[in-house]
Amino acid sequence: MARNALILIAAVGLAAAILILWRGSAATETAAQDQAVIALGQRLYAENCASCHGADLEGQPDWQTPLENGRYPAPPHDETGHTWHHADPLLERIIRDGTAAVVGDGYESDMPGFGDVMSDAEISAVLAYIKSTWPEREGAIQSRITKDSAP
C-alpha cells in the first residue's frame, strides 16, 4: 500500500513537471511569435511611416500646431504623443483608412491610408511595434482603453 502511494505521488509529480515544461515551452513559443510580429512591424514602420513620424517615433516638430494649410504635422508615436490614448481598433483603422476618412466631416490630413499597401495583419504588426516601445505605464493605460472599448 505504501508502495502504491509512492508510485502515485511520483506520477503526480511527473505530471506536474511535464505540465510546467509544456506551459513554459508554449510561453517561449508565444514570446518568439510576438518578437517576430514586432520585428515585422518595425520593418514596415521604417518603410511606410518613419518618413513622417520619425525613425524613433518622435513625430514632426510642433506637431500640435497647424501648418499654414490647416493640417497638422505628423504626431509622435512614442510616449510623448497621444497614440497611446486610443484603442487598437481605432489606431488600426487610422493606419488602414487614413485620418481624414476616420475623422470625417471634411477634415483634411496628410496621413494617408495604408490599406492598399499593408494587410490587416501587417497593420497590426506596425501597431505591435509602436506599442512595444512604450513605457509600462502608457502601455497599461492603452491596453485598458482597448479592453474597455471592446463590444
Side-chain angles (χ1 to χ4, degrees):
M1 185 116 155
R3 183 172 186 231
N4 288 346
L6 287 175
I7 291 172
L8 179 61
I9 290 170
V12 168
L14 180 60
I18 290 170
L19 180 61
I20 289 168
L21 290 173
W22 177 75
R23 280 190 172 174
S25 68
T28 301
E29 184 177 315
T30 299
Q33 289 170 344
D34 290 348
Q35 288 305 311
V37 169
I38 290 168
L40 171 63
Q42 184 175 17
R43 181 179 60 78
L44 291 167
Y45 177 89
E47 292 172 3
N48 298 289
C49 312
S51 62
C52 293
H53 292 280
D56 295 320
L57 296 94
E58 72 274 13
Q60 294 175 338
D62 300 321
W63 63 275
Q64 294 176 311
T65 304
L67 301 169
E68 289 181 19
N69 64 7
R71 297 177 182 187
Y72 285 85
H77 290 309
D78 62 13
E79 73 276 7
T80 67
H82 61 84
T83 306
W84 58 272
H85 295 128
H86 303 292
D88 287 357
L90 175 62
L91 296 172
E92 290 169 347
R93 188 168 167 226
I94 290 170
I95 297 169
R96 184 181 55 252
D97 301 331
T99 304
V102 173
V103 174
D105 291 330
Y107 182 83
E108 293 185 15
S109 171
D110 290 328
M111 170 66 186
F114 288 88
D116 293 337
V117 178
M118 291 187 275
S119 68
D120 285 347
E122 290 172 325
I123 290 169
S124 293
V126 169
L127 184 54
Y129 162 66
I130 292 169
K131 291 167 53 171
S132 76
T133 68
W134 295 337
E136 186 176 330
R137 176 184 169 270
E138 285 76 5
I141 292 169
Q142 195 274 338
S143 180
R144 188 171 55 246
I145 291 168
T146 295
K147 182 180 175 188
D148 290 348
S149 74

